[in-house]
């Protein structure tokens, strides 16, 4: 039977539930989004020094959850059908829903030299789930997937290590920052028990939104088993925040993947001791925060506490400095630092490629590649495809009749040189390992009807002035070769690098190992460059255009070793950016002004001096003309505080 406790004796009043996918409102206020976790999400071990201890009621909840996972080792004393009787019961801490691992001991193992008995071999039989508990014995059933049925004399135990517990915060009408603070305090209490590895992941939230399952129905059990199976979850701690009697209320349930009913059900008002979080961003496992004498760029971006500047569209934008003004529209830009540690920029106007070096805050031209070619350039990216330490430029070029005519440039004796040309591929340079400069190319031929193809892509390596296939990558089912980057959203030893990309609905998707963990609910991106296809409809050739997306920027804005994702929002040409960062309860977003009105067509970053905050570099296009195909470009850079 599930346990349910009410602190204060108040029964929760259920209110209508909104979708877990919160809208990304375009404003200066902090937009906190509450997402639910799933497999592959990041381990959360908040520092106990960052906030005062949580209330007694949250401590009680954490202790009750910990009691569901007692460290017990016992024997099987009887088996009758699917009923397995164990020699441990209530006195040993067992309660209904506890999961044990059954095993059979085999031969003894002796040290070959000392002849000392080291132990016995073990044969894993399967998982047992306790269904009935008496004082000195209990009855369990064998969970699906067992390799063999246990018998009398076999043994069972609850693992002594940390139990992986997935926390699922959901909210209906409660202020997001209060939800984050209460969840943060609860996680602290769970961590203090020493029994759990608490993980946050956003896959379940995205899935609930797609399945149109309201939070209150999920708490009643709808979709719980499906979520366990889909995301390979073992134990889920779901917390639903609602308003009851005008106060924020928490409904807490623990679900296991082997039982229909929750293992534990508790309810309480959010304790008055819960405080909204301070300016702590990119909260990583066990971090105490990074002491900085000056505010990080992330803190300045998200606080809105900036001084006005001459390039600002408003009084609360980022402090900027102009690097250059081009009398043409820059349709794509990238920034990178090669082995010589010199920052470089590459830009294109759709026909030519320009490379510059950055000396302090001054641009110095290096070369221009202006060979007359058919079609137009869709995008430029820095990479090091030949691993020589010299930055190469990957150029996507396309013609409506001839298809893709991509090529790769490098620098030799201060001039551009072609490494490979006439490549019939859409190319994307990726930094999957986190080396700092992309060293791998992903490619696909253009689709004759939709231009982009979704899903799997081919990895390519440079060989003898040509690209050779080197296996496949399956980043995500809806992935396209445009508007994408890899980011380290957790310490490297905690999770793989995440892929952030803009999908065909212009939503920013974050995926790990091909599994979606987060998706924005508002549109982002929308670049200027467009591919053109001539598609026959009957006897008439009809032009169709497919927009290329600016690549999101993965950069550590606050010096804690965890990257944030910055992506343009070009729907109204207001020069806005979305910053995606990891807070104490998962990925959050905020929209900020870039400091200049127009379309942000490219972004990059260079490290700060002596470990200080990095500087962002943006290409902002102010379009003009009747067809809005011309204009000028301002290259701007954030100024260190």
């Amino acid at each position: 039977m599930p346990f349910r406790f009410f602190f204060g004796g108040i029964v929760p009043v259920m209110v209508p539930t909104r979708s877990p996918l919160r809208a990304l409102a375009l404003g200066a206020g902090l937009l906190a989004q509450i997402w639910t976790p799933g497999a592959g999400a990041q381990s959360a071990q908040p520092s106990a020094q960052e906030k005062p201890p949580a209330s007694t009621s949250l401590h009680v909840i954490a202790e009750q959850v910990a009691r569901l996972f007692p460290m017990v080792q016992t024997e099987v004393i009887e088996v009758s059908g699917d009923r397995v009787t164990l020699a441990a019961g209530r006195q040993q801490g067992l309660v209904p829903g506890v999961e044990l691992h059954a095993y059979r001991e085999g031969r003894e193992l002796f040290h070959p030299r000392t002849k000392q008995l080291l132990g016995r071999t073990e044969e894993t039989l399967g998982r047992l789930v306790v269904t009935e508990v008496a004082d000195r014995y209990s009855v369990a059933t064998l969970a699906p997937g067992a390799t063999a049925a246990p018998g009398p004399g076999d043994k069972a135990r609850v693992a002594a290590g940390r139990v992986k517990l997935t926390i699922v915060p959901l909210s209906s009408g409660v202020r997001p920052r209060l939800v984050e603070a209460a969840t943060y305090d609860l996680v602290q209490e769970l961590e203090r028990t020493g029994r759990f590895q608490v993980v946050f992941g956003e896959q379940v939230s995205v899935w609930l939104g797609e399945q149109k399952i309201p939070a209150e129905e999920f708490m009643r059990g709808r979709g719980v088993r499906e979520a366990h199976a889909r995301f390979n979850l073992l134990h889920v701690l779901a917390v639903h925040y609602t308003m009851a009697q005008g106060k924020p209320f928490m409904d807490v349930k623990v679900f296991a993947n082997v039982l229909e009913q929750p293992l534990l059900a508790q309810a309480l008002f959010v304790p008055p001791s819960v405080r909204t979080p301070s300016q702590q961003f990119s909260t990583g496992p066990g971090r105490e925060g990074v002491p900085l004498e000056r505010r990080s760029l992330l803190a300045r971006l998200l606080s809105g506490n900036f001084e006005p500047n001459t390039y600002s569209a408003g009084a609360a934008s980022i402090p900027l400095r102009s690097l250059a003004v081009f009398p043409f529209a820059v349709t794509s830009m990238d920034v990178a630092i090669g082995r010589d540690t010199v920052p470089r920029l590459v830009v294109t106007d759709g026909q030519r490629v320009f490379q510059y070096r950055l000396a302090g805050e001054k641009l110095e031209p290096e070369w221009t590649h202006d060979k007359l070619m058919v079609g137009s350039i869709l995008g430029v990216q820095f990479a090091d495809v030949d691993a020589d330490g010299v930055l190469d430029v990957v150029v996507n070029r396309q013609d409506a009749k001839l298809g893709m005519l991509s090529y790769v440039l490098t620098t030799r004796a201060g001039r551009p040189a072609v490494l490979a040309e006439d490549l019939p591929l859409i190319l994307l340079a990726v930094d999957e390992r986190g080396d700092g400069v992309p060293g791998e190319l992903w490619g696909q031929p253009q689709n004759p009807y939709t231009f982009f193809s979704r899903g799997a892509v081919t990895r390519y390596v440079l060989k003898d002035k040509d690209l050779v296939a080197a296996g496949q990558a399956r980043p995500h089912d809806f992935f396209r070769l445009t508007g994408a980057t890899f980011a380290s959203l957790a310490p490297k030893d905690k999770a793989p690098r995440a892929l952030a990309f803009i999908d065909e609905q212009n939503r920013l998707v974050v995926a790990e190992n091909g599994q979606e963990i987060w998706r924005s609910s508002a549109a982002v991106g929308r670049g200027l460059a467009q591919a053109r296809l001539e598609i026959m409809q009957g006897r008439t050739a009809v032009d169709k255009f497919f927009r290329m997306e600016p690549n999101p920027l993965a950069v550590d804005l606050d010096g804690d070793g965890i990257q944030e994702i910055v992506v343009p929002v070009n729907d109204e040409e207001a020069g806005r950016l979305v910053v995606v960062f990891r807070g104490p309860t998962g990925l959050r977003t905020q929209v900020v002004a870039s400091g200049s009105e127009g379309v942000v067509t490219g972004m990059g970053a260079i490290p700060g001096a002596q470990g200080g905050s990095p500087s962002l570099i943006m290409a902002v296009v102010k379009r003009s003309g009747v067809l809005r195909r011309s204009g000028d470009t301002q290259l701007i850079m954030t100024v260190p505080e």
Side-chain angles (χ1 to χ4, degrees):
M1 293 292 291
F3 301 94
R4 188 170 186 85
F5 301 89
F6 293 90
F7 293 95
I10 301 297
V11 177
V13 178
M14 305 307 293
V15 296
T17 303
R18 294 183 297 175
S19 168
L21 293 174
R22 295 182 171 275
L24 286 172
L26 297 179
L30 185 62
L31 305 180
Q33 295 181 330
I34 305 303
W35 308 102
T36 50
Q42 315 310 323
S43 174
Q45 299 175 351
S47 169
Q49 299 177 4
E50 291 174 359
K51 292 179 65 69
S55 67
T56 302
S57 54
L58 294 181
H59 175 76
V60 171
I61 290 178
E63 291 297 325
Q64 290 290 335
V65 176
R67 290 173 191 169
L68 296 175
F69 306 94
M71 289 180 281
V72 174
Q73 182 162 328
T74 185
E75 291 187 359
V76 176
I77 59 177
E78 182 180 272
V79 177
S80 177
D82 60 350
R83 292 169 58 89
V84 180
T85 305
L86 303 173
R90 193 174 295 111
Q91 293 182 2
Q92 288 74 35
L94 290 182
V95 294
V98 169
E99 184 178 295
L100 302 95
H101 294 270
Y103 64 96
R104 181 171 297 155
E105 289 187 337
R107 61 185 176 84
E108 295 179 331
L109 295 174
F110 294 92
H111 192 283
R113 183 171 54 84
T114 65
K115 308 304 180 183
Q116 180 183 1
L117 178 63
L118 302 177
R120 291 176 175 271
T121 61
E122 293 181 359
E123 176 190 357
T124 301
L125 303 177
R127 293 179 297 149
L128 298 173
V129 181
V130 176
T131 57
E132 304 173 25
V133 179
D135 283 343
R136 301 178 62 182
Y137 73 92
S138 59
V139 177
T141 58
L142 194 63
T147 57
D154 290 333
K155 296 186 177 182
R157 64 186 168 213
V158 179
R162 286 179 174 251
V163 177
K164 188 174 182 180
L165 181 67
T166 300
I167 190 166
V168 181
L170 302 169
S171 177
S172 301
V174 179
R175 288 185 296 115
R177 295 199 69 181
L178 180 60
V179 171
E180 175 173 308
T183 306
Y184 180 56
D185 283 353
L186 179 57
V187 169
Q188 280 188 305
E189 292 301 316
L190 291 167
E191 290 288 344
R192 286 192 183 103
T193 66
R195 194 71 180 94
F196 300 106
Q197 176 195 0
V198 182
V199 296
F200 287 100
E202 291 78 10
Q203 307 97 311
V204 178
S205 175
V206 174
W207 179 77
L208 288 176
E210 293 173 348
Q211 300 299 313
K212 295 181 172 54
I213 300 177
E216 57 186 6
E217 294 188 21
F218 182 75
M219 297 299 291
R220 296 192 190 109
R222 179 186 171 193
V224 171
R225 296 295 297 273
E226 292 82 355
H228 275 104
R230 180 179 179 85
F231 302 109
N232 193 28
L233 307 179
L234 294 178
H235 307 287
V236 170
L237 173 62
V239 185
H240 185 204
Y241 295 87
T242 59
M243 296 298 294
Q245 298 185 350
K247 300 178 182 179
F249 192 82
M250 300 170 64
D251 189 16
V252 182
K253 291 184 179 179
V254 177
F255 297 97
N257 64 348
V258 290
L259 291 179
E260 294 287 345
Q261 298 299 320
L263 304 182
L264 181 71
Q266 298 181 353
L268 72 157
F269 287 107
V270 174
S273 62
V274 172
R275 302 176 185 176
T276 55
S278 60
Q279 290 291 346
Q280 171 66 27
F281 309 107
S282 297
T283 302
R287 291 197 58 83
E288 301 281 335
V290 177
L292 297 175
E293 294 182 359
R294 299 179 178 180
R295 293 184 305 162
S296 69
L297 178 56
L298 180 59
R300 290 188 288 144
L301 284 173
L302 302 187
S303 68
N305 185 17
F306 310 121
E307 296 180 0
N309 55 81
T310 56
Y311 308 107
S312 173
S317 296
I318 311 168
L320 304 171
R321 183 162 298 164
S322 178
L323 289 178
V325 176
F326 298 116
F328 53 81
V330 169
T331 57
S332 180
M333 183 196 77
D334 198 11
V335 179
I337 299 177
R339 191 176 297 172
D340 60 0
T341 70
V342 176
R344 286 181 168 82
L345 290 83
V346 59
V347 301
T348 181
D349 62 353
Q351 293 298 326
R352 298 166 294 176
V353 179
F354 307 87
Q355 181 169 300
Y356 299 86
R357 60 184 291 155
L358 185 62
E361 296 177 1
K362 181 181 178 181
L363 278 185
E364 298 178 351
E366 289 195 322
W367 52 256
T368 300
H369 185 265
D370 56 358
K371 180 180 178 181
L372 185 62
M373 301 175 68
V374 298
S376 62
I377 296 174
L378 303 181
V380 290
Q381 271 188 286
F382 276 127
D384 186 7
V385 296
D386 53 1
D388 62 353
V390 177
L391 292 177
D392 309 316
V393 180
V394 179
V395 184
N396 275 306
R397 192 175 190 111
Q398 189 257 358
D399 180 74
K401 296 183 182 297
L402 301 178
M404 295 303 301
L405 300 167
S406 300
Y407 52 96
V408 181
L409 301 174
T410 192
T411 302
R412 289 175 182 163
R415 301 178 60 84
V418 178
L419 288 180
E421 59 184 338
D422 294 333
L423 304 170
L425 299 167
I426 310 170
L427 296 174
L428 179 73
V430 296
D431 182 16
E432 195 169 359
R433 296 188 300 270
D435 297 329
V437 176
E440 185 175 275
L441 293 179
W442 288 2
Q444 285 180 334
Q446 74 174 37
N447 186 293
Y449 301 102
T450 60
F451 186 70
F452 296 112
S453 297
R454 299 191 310 186
V457 296
T458 303
R459 304 174 190 266
Y460 286 93
V461 295
L462 182 67
K463 186 176 181 180
D464 298 330
K465 294 187 177 183
D466 198 3
L467 295 185
V468 179
Q472 274 203 329
R474 303 193 64 87
H476 188 276
D477 289 343
F478 296 105
F479 176 76
R480 305 176 305 156
L481 282 173
T482 182
T485 189
F486 276 93
S488 298
L489 300 181
K492 291 184 178 181
D493 60 339
K494 297 296 182 181
R497 280 170 61 81
L499 174 66
F501 66 93
I502 301 172
D503 69 6
E504 57 191 15
Q505 279 78 42
N506 281 98
R507 300 305 194 258
L508 183 66
V509 177
V510 179
E512 289 179 357
N513 295 322
Q515 180 65 58
E516 183 175 318
I517 64 171
W518 184 86
R519 178 191 295 265
S520 70
S521 58
V524 299
R526 295 193 173 98
L528 293 183
Q530 297 184 83
R532 181 169 69 93
L533 296 182
E534 289 186 357
I535 299 177
M536 297 301 298
Q537 294 185 356
R539 297 183 178 180
T540 304
V542 178
D543 285 346
K544 287 194 175 183
F545 295 89
F546 302 88
R547 190 185 300 272
M548 303 295 292
E549 301 293 344
N551 289 326
L553 174 65
V555 57
D556 182 3
L557 295 172
D558 54 357
D560 64 353
I562 299 174
Q563 291 181 320
E564 287 71 43
I565 301 170
V566 186
V567 60
V569 180
N570 292 325
D571 54 345
E572 297 176 357
E573 300 192 23
R576 287 189 290 253
L577 307 171
V578 167
V579 181
V580 181
F581 60 98
R582 182 169 293 281
T585 58
L587 294 182
R588 298 167 52 191
T589 65
Q590 182 170 339
V591 179
V592 298
S594 70
S596 184
E597 293 184 358
V599 179
V600 181
T601 57
M603 295 185 300
I606 57 175
Q610 298 179 349
S613 292
S615 293
L616 302 186
I617 300 176
M618 292 165 279
V620 185
V621 178
K622 193 68 176 290
R623 295 194 291 176
S624 59
V626 177
L627 300 178
R628 303 185 66 78
R629 292 180 178 175
S630 59
D632 53 25
T633 303
Q634 190 176 52
L635 216 60
I636 54 180
M637 181 173 71
T638 60
V639 179
E641 190 177 43

